[in-house]
Amino acid sequence: MGQKLPWEVEFCCMLRCGPEPPMPCEPVEGVTNFTVRVIFKAKVICGGGRTGRLVKPGPAMDSTAKNEMQPALIPEQLARLGQYRSREVQRTCSLEARMKSVVQSYLEGVKTGVWQLAQALEAVQEAHEALDQAHGLLQGMAELLQTLEPLREQVAQHKQLQALSQLLPRLQAVPAAVAHTQTLIDAQQLLEAYVSLRELEQLQEETWTSLGGLELPIFKGLGPLAEALGQAVEAAVGAAGQLAREDPALLVAAVRVAEVETGRTTSLEQAPRDWRQRCLHALQEGLERVHFGTPLLPGPGTLAGWLEALQVALPAEMATAEALIAPCCPPHYKIVQLWAHTLHSGLRRCLQQFLRGPELGAAEAFTLLHWALRVYPGPEMMGSLELGPEADVSQLEPLLTLENIEQLEATFVSKVRANVVQWLQKALDGEVAEWGREKEPDTDPSGFYHSPMPAIVLQILEENVRLTSLVSESLQQRVHDMALSELGAFLRSFSDALIRFSRDHLRGEAVAPYYVPYLLAALNHQSALSSSVSVLQPDGVASGALAPVEAALEDLQRRICRLVLEALLAELQPLFAALPSRQWLLSPELLDNVCKRTAHFCRDFGRVRNSTVQLLLAEAERTVVLQYLCALMQGRLVCRDAEERNQAAERLLHDAAQLRDLFLDLGLEESFQCTPVLLALRKLLNLRDPTMLGLEVAGLRQQFPDVSEDHISALLDLRGDVSREQRLAALSSLQAAPQPSPPAGRRALFSLVPAPTPAPSSCLPSGPCA
């Protein structure tokens, strides 16, 4: 065992005392010889938990080491030393026996493994020798195959020649068959042409297969021939509308050829011919070409006629598709749906192209909006009950986009606005031209001043608003807003024209013989506009939309009334210059002249419509009273004694009654008159005890809260008998009293009367003075 070996294998084993078998050994690596040296390392677990290592003593172990290994013995243990030694000897013998058994078993296993390795090595060597022999044989066969390659080529050529000899009669007939097929195509015998083409292509496929993929030049004409047949099928399907009425058999033949060819496959390396898609595309192109071709698109001014023609042609086309074309095509073509969507898309594209052109006029924009939003989806066209669900019109896009509608509405409103401005200006110019005539304004059968201008203005605006209701609410709202805006601008222009007319007349630059009658006629125009402006308010529009126009009409009414009253003032101011005076105290002649002049001025008020005449009379009466008050406040007269004060009081009473009767005769109700102020002043003048002036002034202040200290001072000056202390006491009572609120319905009077400096004054009429 001490002999040196070429290689060693070391096993590590764990041994346990007792009957258990030893632990498995580690794998054996690198076994190349039959001689094995085994070195065991074992751990022996002895009884009592003591461990020991099997050590083979060597010659180098000295006595000192041996003494160190032996434990020291005490006297009590010497008696049992023999027993201990016997037990150790038994244990050692048992251990050596077990170790020999283990080593023997492992040696047998190693021997078996080495034998198996040797057998495997021999098998590998034999296989290697067999592979070397096979490699040599293969090299020899490759050289032999190279010598057979010419023979193989000759065999292939022989087969091709044999196939050609068999196909030669059929191949010789190919040019004639191609010419015959072309003749059939030209004669529109599509089914026969397709059968002939199929036979030629089958022959081509057989030849190609027989010749191993070799393509003969004789078949070069089949590609153009097939394309010619495809074009013929496409042309026939493109004229489906006409063929369905005139020659439905040709249409059916074309569709059948396309369907058969679409499902066919060949062994040739060719792309499949999808003639079904070509047919569907041809159907769409033919339909669009018939109705939306370039020569058929509308030009300037022809849009309305083009849309009217489409309104008749498109429903007829849909009826033809459903009744004639659909039976000639397979169901999966969905002819009715295809027709509806193709017509819609073609029309939509044409309209988009049309809108990208020059800007449309108002009439064309309105026509297109009305046709696209009302007529086209209506019951006469795409909304017809005759169109079944197969048309699927619910999936169609809007004919006009929101941007298109916005563009057309903006164009229409801008064009209509320009036309409305022009028409209204012409109406205004015609009215202004009549103001300088040397005859009275025209009257209606009722005797009121009348002009067609208000009716023309409202008719122009109302027709545009009403017309747009046929299109859409958004367009109607836009035109409604435009109409109100332009009406407001017209009213301002009318008011400015009246001001220029009045200025030129009063300055003498262009004297109008019938100045006041034409102002009264303008007041009737305003009244007519006010009573009829509601026609511009369509249903569903908020009532407040007319508020700006109504305010402009009220401003116009006040402006006309101001001009009329200024003319009245121009006639009355010279008469009031002599009032009050001594002559006024003694004679009613001055006021008689005022009443006559006023009655003469107001004689034409009866030609103003009833809705305005009361306002005009009330303002005229108020103007006369204001001029009367202005004359009293100027300090032209101071009563010298009680008799003159009594005369002045009586004159006020008489003048108030005369003015009241005058305007009652003219038609003004007494409740709207302002003459009661003269009676209140009469009380102040008729007061006999000056010390009671404070109470009378307070009462006057209660009736007329706008009376001022200057007015009271002027009235006290007219009395002529008020001392300084009495004046101060009366004015102090006026200051001490709280400012009363004006009575309901009563307008200011004294605030419009300057005191004490005389100055012409005019009031702006807006209500009664009761």
Side-chain angles (χ1 to χ4, degrees), residues 484 543-552:
L484 295 183
S543 58
L546 297 178
V549 174
E550 293 173 348

Side-chain angles (χ1 to χ4, degrees), residues 577-722:
L579 188 151
S581 62
R582 306 295 173 186
Q583 182 183 359
W584 169 70
L585 290 176
L586 299 176
S587 171
E589 182 180 358
L590 291 177
L591 191 64
D592 289 344
N593 292 335
V594 169
C595 291
K596 290 179 181 179
R597 187 67 59 86
T598 303
H600 180 268
F601 185 89
C602 296
R603 74 183 187 279
D604 293 329
F605 284 9
R607 297 187 181 274
V608 178
R609 298 190 180 277
N610 295 333
S611 58
T612 310
V613 67
Q614 285 294 316
L615 173 64
L616 194 59
L617 286 173
E619 293 303 327
E621 189 264 351
R622 185 167 177 265
T623 300
V624 173
V625 172
L626 283 173
Q627 291 303 310
Y628 196 102
L629 292 177
C630 289
L632 289 179
M633 300 298 170
Q634 300 310 309
R636 299 192 188 103
L637 176 65
V638 176
C639 296
R640 292 175 294 190
D641 49 26
E643 183 179 356
E644 287 190 353
R645 286 191 293 276
N646 186 46
Q647 290 176 349
E650 292 301 322
R651 178 54 52 200
L652 286 175
L653 177 62
H654 178 270
D655 290 350
Q658 190 172 0
L659 290 175
R660 183 187 69 246
D661 294 340
L662 169 64
F663 283 98
L664 284 175
D665 294 340
L666 291 174
L668 180 64
E669 298 178 5
E670 187 174 359
S671 59
F672 288 93
Q673 296 186 15
C674 299
T675 52
V677 67
L678 302 181
L679 301 179
L681 299 182
R682 173 183 174 276
K683 293 180 180 179
L684 186 64
L685 292 177
N686 201 29
L687 184 66
R688 298 183 182 277
D689 186 0
T691 58
M692 302 297 292
L693 285 175
L695 294 177
E696 196 63 38
V697 167
L700 182 63
R701 181 68 174 274
Q702 289 293 329
Q703 289 181 322
F704 304 97
D706 60 328
V707 67
S708 66
E709 294 180 7
D710 293 336
H711 296 134
I712 298 300
S713 295
L715 292 174
L716 296 180
D717 291 341
L718 179 61
R719 282 181 58 92
D721 63 340
V722 181

Side-chain angles (χ1 to χ4, degrees), residues 143-158:
E143 295 174 356
L144 183 60
L145 288 175
Q146 290 179 357
T147 60
L148 294 177
E149 187 64 30
L151 181 60
R152 181 183 299 169
E153 293 178 358
Q154 291 180 3
V155 170
Q157 293 177 359
H158 176 73

Side-chain angles (χ1 to χ4, degrees), residues 21 30 44 111 251 327 362 381 531 551 556 623 758:
V44 181
K111 182 178 180 180
L251 176 59
M381 297 190 69
S531 61
L556 177 62
T623 300

Side-chain angles (χ1 to χ4, degrees), residues 480-481 483-484 487 530 532-538 541-553:
H480 175 260
D481 296 341
L484 295 183
L487 179 57
S530 297
S532 303
V533 72
S534 59
V535 300
L536 298 180
Q537 182 172 353
V541 178
S543 58
L546 297 178
V549 174
E550 293 173 348
L553 288 169

Side-chain angles (χ1 to χ4, degrees), residues 94 111 288 311 350 389 423 437 619 668:
S94 176
K111 182 178 180 180
E288 291 185 2
Q311 187 174 347
C350 287
W423 295 333
R437 296 189 308 175
E619 293 303 327
L668 180 64

